[in-house]
Amino acid sequence: MILIADSGSTKTDWCLAEHGVAQKRITTKGMNPFFQSEEEMADEMTGTLLPALEGNRPDAVYFYGAGCIYDKVEGVRRAITRALGVDGNHIEVNTDMLAAARSVCGREAGIACILGTGSNSCFYDGSQIQANVSPLGFILGDEGSGAVLGKLFMGDLLKNQLPKGLKEEFFNEYGMTQADIIDRVYRRPFPNRFLASLSPFISSHIHIPEIRQLVKQSFIAFLRRNVMQYDYAHYAVGFNGSVAWYYKEILIEAAAEVGVKMGTLIKAPMEGLLRYHQND
């Protein structure tokens, strides 16, 4: 029996599985080793995950998460061992990018992308990531992400580049003023999350030509500045993430316009990870 985790800073989705079949699904708070200590992660698993497992002890753990890079991996591994009693040799700790790659490409080589709050991409050889164009975050990069869509939309809205009346509609729906928005973006923590939270408004107004074009051009920028640095002529491109999922029609249109072949498109990686690890 194995335990697979798909973790972000907000929540962690766990799946206890046997031969590729989910036996139990559990959600706990997010665990990111950049923001949490080994002890804090272990305490979260001990207090929330362990009771939910109801005595089931996995033979191996595959943990995929934001921030699981370089010197952070061993701390996550030790936290899992401490909380669940699983031998460290039977624990794999990997990035959320590898989770996306394994979920959309399986054991075949291909190009994998994440379009969520942020964006990322890689070339994957069927097992591991071989090349990665740095996403650079929502200020310098993250094209096509929820944060960048929110940033572009808000800039156009406040600069009166969108149809008349839309600004007032937005202020009324969100209960905010221009001063409030400036405060959220420039003075409060996690402006990327705030900007990404505007996606439902953008999506509900996607029929407005200026907004649809904004989204499409951001996707084209993502493809040109990231995906097209890989061997996109010979490999399909798979996508994972809420932005890719909810704007898939426009994403498919953008990919066709620049000559990128679409592969698998999913909202979340867990089902693909179950298939990938079904024989483990």
Side-chain angles (χ1 to χ4, degrees):
M1 192 170 287
I2 65 171
L3 183 64
I4 303 172
D6 170 31
S7 184
S9 297
T10 304
K11 69 182 179 75
T12 303
D13 292 323
W14 302 84
C15 184
L16 188 69
E18 193 166 22
H19 305 305
V21 179
Q23 305 296 320
K24 186 177 287 289
R25 295 177 186 266
I26 303 159
T27 299
T28 66
K29 291 181 181 177
M31 294 192 298
N32 187 323
F34 267 103
F35 304 114
Q36 294 166 286
S37 68
E38 182 179 322
E39 291 72 21
E40 288 171 328
M41 291 186 288
D43 288 346
E44 174 61 25
M45 287 184 279
T46 301
T48 308
L49 175 64
L50 196 57
L53 288 173
E54 299 177 329
N56 292 292
R57 293 297 180 110
D59 301 303
V61 177
Y62 300 93
F63 187 96
Y64 297 90
C68 292
I69 58 174
Y70 310 126
D71 58 333
K72 303 296 183 182
V73 168
E74 286 306 315
V76 177
R77 183 178 283 114
R78 287 193 298 267
I80 295 171
T81 295
R82 176 175 165 182
L84 304 182
V86 178
D87 188 312
N89 293 320
H90 298 142
I91 300 171
E92 258 191 40
V93 180
N94 296 298
T95 65
D96 54 350
M97 187 69 253
L98 185 60
R102 287 179 170 177
S103 65
V104 298
C105 298
R107 296 185 182 274
E108 301 293 326
I111 298 167
C113 304
I114 296 173
L115 288 181
T117 297
S119 66
N120 205 349
S121 65
C122 73
F123 178 74
Y124 167 76
D125 67 3
S127 175
Q128 298 294 330
I129 292 170
Q130 295 300 320
N132 171 247
V133 177
S134 177
L136 297 178
F138 78 104
I139 294 176
L140 298 178
D142 269 4
E143 301 87 359
S145 69
V148 167
L149 294 182
K151 179 178 73 171
L152 295 172
F153 166 74
M154 190 51 61
D156 281 358
L157 189 76
L158 298 182
K159 293 249 184 205
N160 304 310
Q161 300 301 298
L162 296 176
K164 187 177 180 181
L166 194 62
K167 184 190 291 186
E168 289 71 25
E169 181 183 344
F170 175 85
F171 286 160
N172 290 334
E173 182 170 327
Y174 279 78
M176 302 180 77
T177 65
Q178 181 166 321
D180 293 328
I181 293 165
I182 297 300
D183 181 62
R184 291 295 300 269
V185 172
Y186 290 103
R187 299 187 183 94
R188 295 197 195 181
F190 305 114
N192 58 326
R193 294 183 189 175
F194 164 67
L195 291 168
S197 75
L198 307 181
S199 185
F201 189 89
I202 296 171
S203 179
S204 66
H205 293 79
I206 202 69
H207 59 280
I208 296 174
E210 292 89 342
I211 293 180
R212 194 179 196 283
Q213 184 69 3
L214 179 153
V215 173
K216 182 180 175 182
Q217 288 304 313
S218 191
F219 288 159
I220 288 175
F222 173 80
L223 295 168
R224 286 180 172 160
R225 292 164 63 87
N226 299 276
V227 171
M228 295 174 77
Q229 294 198 55
Y230 311 115
D231 188 7
Y232 74 96
H234 294 97
Y235 294 95
V237 182
F239 286 85
N240 165 63
S242 57
V243 170
W245 181 256
Y246 287 114
Y247 296 93
K248 55 189 169 186
E249 289 184 7
I250 302 176
L251 178 58
I252 291 169
E253 183 181 316
E257 187 166 314
V258 297
V260 168
K261 179 184 176 183
M262 290 289 293
T264 301
L265 195 159
I266 58 175
K267 183 180 178 182
M270 187 59 77
E271 298 307 318
L273 292 174
L274 278 170
R275 289 191 295 273
Y276 183 88
H277 290 293
Q278 64 184 343
N279 296 318
D280 292 350

